[in-house]
Every structure is written in C-alpha cells, then in structure tokens.
C-alpha cells in the first residue's frame, strides 16, 4: 500500500485527491456496452454515489472528437466524452482501468486527465492499474473511494457485480443464438431488454445469484426454429468496439437479421474471471490461454491489446467448423493493425473467410452494411459448395 502511494505521490497525473470526503464522492466511469449494470451494483454496494453519463451516442462522439488530438483511436474519444459529460452532471471522481502492452489504452488516463485539467475540471482520477497486483490493487482503489471497512459490503458489492455480469452476458449470448432462428422477429431482443431491466433493478445478493439460471429458463420461451441451418460467424477484435453497440454500429443485430448466428469472442465476464479473480480459483483454461495456444504458429507472444486473442480465435474458428470471422477494430489501433496483417495469412492457410472492418467517427452505415452483406454472401456460397462436395463424396462411398 505504501509503495503504491509513494509512486502516486511523484506522478503528477495520478495524485489521488484526499480532500474529497467519501460521503461527498460522486463516481463515474466510461460507458461501454452494458458494463454500467454490474459496475453500478458493485460501487453502490460499497455505499458510494454514482452518476451515469448517457450511453455512447452521436453527441458524445462530437464532444470526444472536438477535445481529442488528431489520430487518437475512437475508444479514447468516447471515453473522454463520457468523462466530460459525467463531470458536467456533477461527478467528482472518475474511474478507469489501464493495462500493459503496446496498446495506447495504457495512456488513456494520463491523456484524459491532462486534457480535463486544462479544460478547468476538478476531480479525482482513480486508476485500476493492471501493471500492479490485480484484486489487491482493485480493493485498495475502492477503499480509497469509499473508505468502506465493512467486509459484508465488499462481499455484497462484488457478489452482485460479478453475478450481474454473468447474467447480462448469458442473456446476450442467448439473444445472439435465438435472433437468426426466431419465428417472430424481435422476440429475442425484447426478451434481452426485459432481462437487462430486471438485472439492473435486482438489489439482493441471493436474487443476483439466481439471475443467470432464470435468464436461461426464460429464453426457452422464445419461439425458434431449432432445425434452421444458419451460418456461424465469430466476431472478434478490439475489446471496446466489440462490447459497445454504438461504436460497432450494432453489428450483432445486423448479422442476426441477416440470418447469422454471432459468437462474440470477447466478454466482460471472461475478462473479470481471468484478470480480477485469483488464479487458484480459475480452474478452467482461460480464453486468453486458449488463444495463446492456438496462435502459436502465427504469434509467439502477446504484444498488447487483444492482438493474440484475435489471431488465436481466428485459428480456433477455422479448426472448429466456424463459417467465417469478422474482425472489427478502431482506426489506427496498433495491436489490431498487426492482427489485420496476420489474419490475411490465417485466412489463406486455414481456408477461413475473414472480413476486417475499421471503425472511426464516420458513422454512415450504408457502405458498412453493404460490406457485411457481401461477406455473408461469400460465406453462404462457401457453405453451399462444401455441402455439395460432401454430398458427392457420400454418394461415391
């Protein structure tokens, strides 16, 4: 604890502000998909006040672009906009993760803090630094914000946060499965929105533990054609653009309505288990470990961001009968530029259709959707040829 505080004392960007009393703190963090649901439960469970800026939208994008340096990636622009909007709403404490590697994510907090100070905002920035010890450093950061000493509140907050994360991710996975098979268009999305509201409003540890099972049971009521043969496409790439529907222009919905089952490969629940949970409690192979194993012929080690996950997931997809891969990335994202170049070789060697979509502040959807439609046509033609070939081989036998 003392070593961490000493480091922070000599870092002008990360000096923590102890002048804000715990009871006066109003906490905010960047929006990213549905992360606000479990995070709100966790922070409020520790007795803190929360302000949520609006979900990412065009207004936020304009604010972020206006106040960011040219060439910085889209996630940073939206993160900065979230901070500005939250501070304008009355927040005085900002939270953010940062992590090691070549990804500029490690510099988000420094850049944002410097920009916000220049704009005249006064606030405390709490950084959950993944360079440091994981759960220990996280608990220290929450203690700094809340001064909570009650072990029950920590159990309650973290239990509700974790269980809500698993419930939200489960509901989303089931929506992705049901959407291309649903008999009544929109039923799966209605079911998901219903459960998102229920999950958000659940305030009991006992009830939170039941959420995932209840979600699974209720989704059985969505009428689907279980025998419908649909193409399966893996969605992979950079963490933020995968999880935020505004940023990726709701690509999962677009694919589902085109009759494609989406299997996103990055989930907040996987990240929570792998990064925050102590390793001795994580008894199965993590998503990251699987990716490192499958990527070994193309990458020898992680280089930051989700680069090795992108390559490992693509190889895994090819070896497990997945029909295609869509790789999405922010414009100028360094790790994903590396991924994009390696994916060309993966596609050729593994006979796997791959489409890379690069996202920036230009939000026009027509060309975006046209490229997706063309890619799905390619995937369906490949599937048809493979079925015909299998039929001929079966007839010869």
């Amino acid at each position: 604890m003392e070593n961490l505080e000493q480091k922070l004392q000599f870092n002008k960007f990360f000096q923590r502000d102890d002048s804000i009393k715990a009871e006066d703190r109003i906490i905010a963090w960047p929006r990213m998909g549905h992360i606000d649901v479990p995070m709100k439960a966790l922070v409020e469970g520790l007795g803190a006040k929360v302000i949520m800026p609006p979900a990412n939208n065009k207004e936020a994008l304009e604010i972020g672009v206006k106040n960011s340096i040219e060439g910085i990636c889209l996630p940073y622009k939206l993160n900065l906009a979230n901070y500005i909007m939250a501070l304008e709403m009355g927040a005085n404490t900002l939270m953010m993760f940062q992590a090691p590697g070549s990804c500029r994510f490690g510099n988000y907090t420094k850049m944002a803090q410097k920009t916000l100070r220049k704009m005249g905002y006064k606030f405390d920035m709490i950084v959950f630094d993944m360079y440091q010890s994981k759960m220990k450093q996280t608990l220290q950061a929450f203690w700094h914000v809340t001064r909570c000493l009650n072990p029950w509140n920590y159990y309650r907050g973290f239990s509700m946060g974790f269980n809500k994360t698993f419930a939200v991710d489960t509901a989303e996975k089931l929506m992705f499965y049901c959407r291309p098979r649903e008999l009544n268009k929109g039923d799966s999305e209605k079911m998901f929105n219903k459960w998102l509201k229920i999950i958000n409003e659940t305030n009991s540890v006992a009830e939170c533990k039941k959420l995932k099972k209840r979600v699974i049971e209720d989704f059985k009521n969505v009428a689907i054609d279980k025998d419908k043969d649909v193409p399966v496409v893996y969605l992979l790439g950079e963490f933020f653009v995968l999880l935020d529907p505004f940023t990726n222009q709701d690509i999962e919905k677009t694919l589902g309505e085109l009759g494609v089952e989406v299997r996103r490969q990055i989930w907040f629940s996987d990240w929570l288990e792998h990064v925050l949970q102590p390793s001795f409690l994580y008894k199965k192979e993590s998503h990251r470990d699987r990716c490192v194993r499958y990527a070994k012929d193309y990458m020898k080690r992680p280089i930051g961001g989700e680069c090795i996950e992108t390559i490992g997931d693509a190889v895994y997809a090819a070896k497990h009968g997945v029909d295609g891969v869509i790789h999405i990335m922010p414009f100028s994202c360094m790790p994903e530029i590396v991924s994009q170049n390696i994916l060309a070789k993966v596609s050729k060697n593994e006979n796997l259709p791959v489409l890379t979509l690069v996202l920036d502040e230009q939000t026009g959807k027509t060309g975006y959707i046209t490229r997706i439609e063309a890619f799905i046509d390619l995937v369906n033609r490949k599937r048809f040829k493979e079925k015909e070939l299998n039929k001929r081989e079966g007839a010869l036998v």
Side-chain angles (χ1 to χ4, degrees):
M1 182 74 175
E2 288 182 4
N3 290 336
L4 180 61
E5 294 296 341
Q6 288 171 359
K7 289 178 183 179
L8 293 170
Q9 186 177 357
F10 292 102
N11 189 325
K12 65 179 180 179
F13 292 112
F14 296 134
Q15 286 181 343
R16 292 179 174 175
D17 186 353
D18 287 312
S19 67
I20 306 174
K21 296 179 180 179
E23 60 268 23
D24 296 330
R25 287 187 181 273
I26 303 174
I27 302 169
W29 53 84
R31 296 297 298 265
M32 181 181 68
H34 307 296
I35 190 178
D36 54 293
V37 175
M39 276 293 294
K40 187 169 180 286
L42 195 164
V43 175
E44 289 185 340
L46 297 177
K49 299 171 187 173
V50 169
I51 275 186
M52 294 304 306
N56 289 318
N57 54 33
K58 288 188 177 181
E59 180 187 0
L61 183 57
E62 289 172 2
I63 293 171
V65 170
K66 179 181 176 182
N67 294 285
S68 300
I69 62 172
E70 186 177 357
I72 193 65
C73 55
L74 184 57
Y76 171 81
K77 293 171 184 175
L78 287 167
N79 283 184
L80 181 63
N82 296 155
Y83 288 143
I84 292 170
M85 296 172 89
L87 291 167
E88 289 290 336
M89 294 168 66
N92 58 22
T93 304
L94 303 177
M95 287 184 165
M96 185 61 178
F97 281 96
Q98 73 172 23
S102 61
C103 177
R104 282 172 289 190
F105 179 49
N107 291 314
Y108 276 19
T109 45
K110 297 177 185 177
M111 295 169 63
Q113 191 163 13
K114 191 172 183 179
T115 299
L116 294 169
R117 298 284 188 212
K118 283 184 177 180
M119 294 174 71
Y121 292 110
K122 295 181 179 180
F123 58 91
D124 189 11
M125 176 76 82
I126 307 301
V127 181
F128 295 84
D129 192 345
M130 294 297 101
Y131 288 94
Q132 307 292 333
S133 58
K134 296 173 183 177
M135 181 57 79
K136 179 182 176 182
Q137 200 266 344
T138 299
L139 289 171
Q140 288 172 348
F142 277 118
W143 179 85
H144 172 77
V145 172
T146 64
R147 292 295 193 268
C148 177
L149 296 174
N150 187 334
W152 165 250
N153 284 351
Y154 280 96
Y155 172 75
R156 182 173 183 271
F158 276 87
S159 178
M160 289 201 301
F162 271 65
N163 280 290
K164 286 191 177 189
T165 300
F166 298 133
V168 170
D169 282 0
T170 298
E172 203 162 10
K173 289 175 184 177
L174 289 169
M175 177 175 65
F176 293 165
Y177 175 82
C178 292
R179 187 180 265 147
R181 298 175 172 88
E182 61 190 9
L183 300 180
N184 302 305
K185 187 176 179 180
D187 277 2
S188 54
E189 188 168 358
K190 288 177 184 175
M191 182 67 79
F192 173 76
N193 288 332
K194 166 190 165 181
W195 275 102
L196 191 63
K197 186 173 185 293
I198 293 172
I199 293 166
N200 191 38
E201 293 174 352
T202 302
N203 291 313
S204 154
V205 172
E207 290 302 313
C208 282
K209 289 181 178 180
K210 299 176 186 176
L211 284 170
K212 181 177 175 179
K213 184 176 180 181
R214 290 175 61 198
V215 166
I216 293 170
E217 286 300 313
D218 204 16
F219 258 91
K220 292 177 182 178
N221 295 317
V222 177
I224 61 172
D225 181 355
K226 294 181 181 179
D227 298 321
K228 186 176 180 181
D229 184 24
V230 302
V232 175
V233 168
Y234 272 16
L235 195 62
L236 45 87
E238 192 271 335
F239 193 89
F240 183 92
V241 298
L242 281 173
L243 295 183
D244 192 66
F246 171 77
T247 310
N248 63 42
Q249 299 193 29
D250 226 348
I251 188 172
E252 292 124 340
K253 184 174 182 179
T254 299
L255 288 166
E257 291 178 346
L258 288 171
V260 176
E261 181 186 339
V262 178
R263 293 183 189 171
R264 189 204 300 152
Q265 295 306 291
I266 297 288
W267 294 93
F268 190 53
S269 54
D270 287 341
W271 183 85
L272 272 182
E273 283 191 306
H274 176 63
V275 174
L276 291 184
Q277 189 169 257
S279 57
F280 68 89
L281 294 176
Y282 200 91
K283 297 180 181 179
K284 61 182 180 179
E285 183 182 39
S286 72
H287 173 240
R288 186 176 183 82
D289 289 342
R290 188 193 80 183
C291 290
V292 170
R293 181 161 59 87
Y294 274 90
K296 67 180 185 298
D297 291 336
Y298 299 91
M299 290 189 73
K300 299 302 180 186
R301 63 180 179 84
I303 64 165
E306 285 70 51
C307 183
I308 201 161
E309 283 89 344
T310 296
I311 303 306
D313 283 332
V315 177
Y316 181 86
K319 296 187 182 302
H320 288 81
V322 176
D323 299 301
V325 158
I326 295 181
H327 169 226
I328 59 177
M329 57 176 277
F331 178 69
S332 81
C333 175
M334 291 182 285
E336 294 306 324
I337 288 172
V338 176
S339 300
Q340 183 181 10
N341 285 278
I342 297 174
L343 280 175
K345 188 174 182 180
V346 174
S347 177
K348 181 180 178 180
N349 291 354
E350 309 291 343
N351 189 29
L352 178 73
V354 175
L355 170 67
T356 294
L357 296 170
V358 182
L359 302 165
D360 62 9
E361 61 261 27
Q362 305 302 320
T363 55
K365 290 191 71 170
T366 304
Y368 185 71
I369 292 174
T370 300
R371 291 189 66 195
I372 294 171
E373 289 174 338
F375 178 72
I376 299 307
D377 284 344
L378 171 68
V379 166
N380 284 328
R381 286 198 302 273
K382 181 175 180 289
R383 294 178 79 236
F384 177 77
K385 288 179 182 178
E386 288 175 349
K387 286 179 182 178
E388 289 299 307
L389 181 62
N390 290 335
K391 283 180 183 179
R392 289 195 211 105
E393 289 177 349
L396 290 173
V397 173

